[in-house]
Amino acid sequence: MLLGESLEDYLETLLILEGTGKIRCVDVANRMSVSKPSVNKAMNVLKEKGYVLQESYGDIHLTDAGRELAKSVYHRHQTISNFLQDVLGVSAENADEDACHIEHVISDETFEKMENYRR
């Protein structure tokens, strides 16, 4: 993908939190187990790239482009996690953790094969 693992993880987290209402830096920090300054730094980068909107220390909002990229990352994560669990029998916890890393480095070809795998 375009942003690297860390920033894609932030987008994915923002997408998940978006469904719960307002997104604040503290919510992102708590969910990702990172510091608020780390969140602020990441939000500034994502804002520069046009993926989020945020007033100074205000609520965070995904832009349309940010939401689309976040959905893509989240879809990859879910697909890989499900494949690891359903096809390989990996525990849910390990599948989720592994998918979090694999989603950023897997080739499009391999991902498509996983996505379209039929037993």
Side-chain angles (χ1 to χ4, degrees):
M1 289 259 164
L2 308 169
L3 295 176
E5 186 170 337
S6 178
L7 290 174
E8 288 180 357
D9 286 344
Y10 276 102
L11 282 177
E12 195 174 2
T13 299
L14 293 174
L15 181 68
I16 291 165
L17 290 174
E18 191 176 56
T20 66
K22 291 182 178 182
I23 306 171
R24 302 171 303 153
C25 279
V26 66
D27 302 322
V28 177
N30 289 339
R31 176 136 186 137
M32 296 184 72
S33 299
V34 297
S35 68
K36 285 191 279 185
S38 293
V39 174
N40 285 323
K41 184 176 178 181
M43 292 309 107
N44 285 331
V45 172
L46 292 172
K47 192 169 18 174
E48 286 175 17
K49 295 188 177 291
Y51 294 124
V52 301
L53 299 172
Q54 180 186 24
E55 295 296 321
S56 187
Y57 298 101
D59 294 340
I60 302 163
H61 304 276
L62 287 167
T63 63
D64 289 341
R67 189 172 296 101
E68 286 307 308
L69 183 53
K71 284 180 180 179
S72 174
V73 173
Y74 188 68
H75 173 71
R76 288 171 80 87
H77 179 104
Q78 292 300 109
T79 299
I80 294 165
S81 180
N82 289 340
F83 181 87
L84 293 173
Q85 290 176 69
D86 299 344
V87 176
L88 302 180
V90 175
S91 70
E93 183 178 325
N94 284 334
D96 193 56
E97 180 67 27
D98 291 345
C100 197
H101 299 292
I102 294 169
E103 70 195 37
H104 305 287
V105 296
I106 193 171
S107 70
D108 288 341
E109 177 188 10
T110 302
F111 176 73
E112 287 172 15
K113 298 287 185 183
M114 288 176 120
E115 191 173 36
N116 296 317
Y117 180 81
R118 306 275 187 256
R119 283 198 235 181

